[in-house]
């Protein structure tokens, strides 16, 4: 499928310690992915430092970070790395970007924004190189299917694993648990 940008617009930058890629981002594009995040699904407008840890909330150090994002414009970008990755999704403007917003004085301009929107996704890893794989759609689901095939497909999990997960709050008492169990029984679970 056709990408909504030219591959020649993608910028790869290597410094002494980091390798970075800049991928164009349309003004109305939504970005999904980057692993198991507990706060919404659209990643645009935030910074993510993907690290493995047990936290259930936040934009970094989660228990299922994945260096893959999928665009509502029908493509996916995968950083094929085991290194911790950083993603600036539609935030952060470089001085050499011709489309960056005008400079504003934070002391006198009420329209000053500490984090003005950007037309780029910047992703980086600490290391000498970076393999970036762009998967096309034409739909976001098609791009996700191609990512699944790239990673070797997947076996169908057991049927019980496809259901929902549920747990009671840690401060629940016996009455709360019995009420919950009765509700499950009433609904045929």
């Amino acid at each position: 499928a056709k990408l909504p940008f030219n591959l020649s617009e993608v910028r790869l930058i290597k410094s002494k310690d980091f390798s970075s890629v800049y991928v164009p981002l349309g003004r109305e594009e939504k970005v999904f992915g980057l692993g198991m995040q507990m706060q919404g699904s659209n990643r645009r407008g935030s910074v993510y430092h993907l690290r493995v840890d047990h936290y259930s909330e936040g934009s970094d150090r989660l228990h299922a970070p994945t260096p893959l994002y999928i665009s509502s414009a029908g493509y996916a970008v995968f950083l094929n790395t085991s290194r911790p990755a950083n993603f600036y999704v539609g935030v952060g403007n470089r001085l050499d970007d011709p489309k960056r917003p005008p400079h504003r004085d934070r002391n006198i301009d009420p329209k000053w924004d500490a984090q003005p929107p950007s037309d780029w996704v910047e992703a980086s890893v600490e290391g000498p190189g970076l393999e970036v794989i762009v998967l096309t759609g034409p739909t976001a689901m098609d791009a996700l299917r191609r990512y699944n095939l790239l990673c070797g497909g997947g076996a169908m999990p057991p049927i019980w694993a496809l259901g929902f997960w549920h747990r009671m709050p840690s401060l629940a008492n016996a009455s709360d648990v019995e009420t919950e169990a009765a509700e499950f029984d009433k609904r045929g679970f």
Side-chain angles (χ1 to χ4, degrees):
K2 187 169 172 21
L3 288 168
F5 56 86
N6 292 322
L7 283 175
S8 62
E9 295 177 83
V10 174
R11 293 189 281 175
L12 299 167
I13 298 175
K14 283 177 58 174
S15 68
K16 180 181 170 212
D17 298 318
F18 282 87
S19 297
S20 303
V21 61
Y22 294 82
V23 180
L25 188 62
R27 280 281 170 191
E28 302 302 317
E29 266 182 76
K30 294 178 180 167
V31 174
F32 307 97
L34 302 178
M36 190 170 166
Q37 308 279 337
M38 301 298 187
Q39 298 173 341
S41 58
N42 187 1
R43 305 287 171 241
R44 187 168 189 142
S46 293
V47 177
Y48 298 90
H49 302 292
L50 303 184
R51 312 291 187 268
V52 176
D53 211 326
H54 68 282
Y55 298 117
S56 64
E57 291 187 13
S59 60
D60 56 1
R61 298 180 66 189
L62 297 175
H63 52 273
T66 306
L68 165 81
Y69 72 85
I70 302 166
S71 166
S72 61
Y75 67 93
V77 176
F78 174 55
L79 272 57
N80 190 14
T81 182
S82 60
R83 296 175 185 268
N86 304 301
F87 284 83
Y88 294 76
V89 185
V91 295
N93 289 277
R94 295 180 52 90
L95 287 174
D96 61 355
D97 183 359
K99 294 188 283 183
R100 72 182 163 92
H103 171 75
R104 295 186 181 281
D105 185 336
R106 71 184 293 172
N107 296 312
I108 58 173
D109 191 340
K111 293 184 178 179
W112 177 81
D113 185 354
Q115 204 169 344
S118 167
D119 293 336
W120 298 93
V121 172
E122 175 188 348
S124 64
V125 297
E126 189 172 351
L130 180 60
E131 182 180 27
V132 180
I133 299 170
V134 179
L135 304 152
T136 60
T139 69
M141 183 57 83
D142 291 324
L144 179 60
R145 287 182 181 115
R146 288 190 167 105
Y147 168 73
N148 188 35
L149 290 173
L150 174 73
C151 294
M156 177 65 123
I159 296 299
W160 59 263
L162 297 175
F164 65 91
W165 288 9
H166 180 77
R167 63 177 88 145
M168 291 295 295
S170 60
L171 298 177
N173 59 36
S175 175
D176 295 334
V177 174
E178 289 170 356
T179 301
E180 191 78 3
E183 187 68 26
F184 273 56
D185 187 46
K186 177 176 129 184
R187 295 178 183 270
F189 292 111

